């Protein structure tokens, strides 16, 4: 598909498609939880970036969210680090370079803020995401299993 696409920075919680895609990517959170996070992230534009990608008709086809992390990020050697918090592309647009465009935009943003590394993560059973990361030049650094114990 060679249709024209364009990327736009989110400027409002009402950005077309943003909430819908967050609900698809993170369905365990409520719409109100998502909106609260969106408002918080928009208030800190130097720390957080949210981008939507649209087709020529302005139909939302994907989004990405990134942050600048100064705490330790698994597998990295520098600080601060650009971090991809989440990315979603509608099924009809997958494997067409949409995610690559979004990752490149986050990388440019992080580089402009002094980052020398871009990090991300994927659930251990999300092999599609792992393959996509590898295809975009990421290398796996480690695997982690988290534990919790009630006190």
């Amino acid at each position: 598909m060679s249709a024209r696409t364009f990327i736009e920075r989110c400027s409002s919680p009402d950005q077309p498609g943003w909430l819908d895609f967050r609900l698809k990517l993170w369905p365990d959170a409520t719409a109100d939880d998502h909106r609260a996070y969106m408002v918080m992230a928009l208030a800190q534009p130097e720390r957080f970036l949210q981008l939507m990608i649209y087709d020529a008709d302005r139909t939302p086809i994907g989004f990405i969210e990134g942050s600048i992390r100064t705490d330790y990020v698994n597998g990295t050697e520098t600080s601060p680090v650009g971090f991809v918090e989440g990315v979603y592309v509608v099924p009809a647009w997958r494997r067409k370079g949409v995610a690559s465009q979004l990752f490149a935009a986050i990388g440019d943003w992080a580089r402009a803020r002094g980052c020398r590394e871009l990090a991300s993560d994927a659930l251990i059973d999300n092999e599609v995401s792992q393959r996509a990361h590898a295809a975009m030049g990421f290398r796996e650094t480690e695997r982690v299993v988290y534990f919790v114990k009630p006190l």
Side-chain angles (χ1 to χ4, degrees):
M1 216 174 278
S2 62
R4 187 178 69 84
T5 60
F6 63 96
I7 295 175
E8 187 174 293
R9 186 173 188 155
C10 295
S11 59
S12 160
D14 298 322
Q15 184 83 26
W18 188 19
L19 178 60
D20 294 335
F21 288 167
R22 284 188 117 258
L23 286 164
K24 287 179 188 293
L25 186 59
W26 297 298
D28 292 341
T30 68
D32 287 341
D33 292 337
H34 283 293
R35 282 189 201 93
Y37 178 87
M38 293 158 75
V39 168
M40 179 280 302
L42 287 169
Q44 300 177 62
E46 286 300 311
R47 183 172 174 217
F48 297 102
L49 178 65
Q50 313 80 25
L51 300 172
M52 293 294 303
I53 188 166
Y54 299 97
D55 69 11
D57 297 323
R58 195 169 167 71
T59 301
I61 60 173
F63 91 112
I64 195 166
E65 292 186 8
S67 67
I68 303 298
R69 292 193 179 183
T70 55
D71 55 331
Y72 174 69
V73 175
N74 296 33
T76 63
E77 297 176 1
T78 62
S79 182
V81 171
F83 195 87
V84 175
E85 301 290 347
V87 61
Y88 178 83
V89 176
V90 297
W93 281 86
R94 293 179 186 165
R95 301 186 58 84
K96 298 182 186 331
V98 172
S100 293
Q101 290 178 62
L102 292 168
F103 272 87
I106 288 283
D108 290 345
W109 174 79
R111 192 177 303 103
R113 279 151 189 77
C115 299
R116 296 191 335 238
E117 294 177 286
L118 182 64
S120 185
D121 60 16
L123 294 174
I124 203 160
D125 62 345
N126 190 342
E127 294 177 9
V128 170
S129 179
Q130 293 169 32
R131 285 192 302 273
H133 279 82
M136 287 184 277
F138 285 84
R139 66 176 170 75
E140 184 176 323
T141 60
E142 61 187 69
R143 292 190 172 231
V144 178
V145 176
Y146 293 94
F147 297 93
V148 67
K149 175 183 170 183
L151 298 177

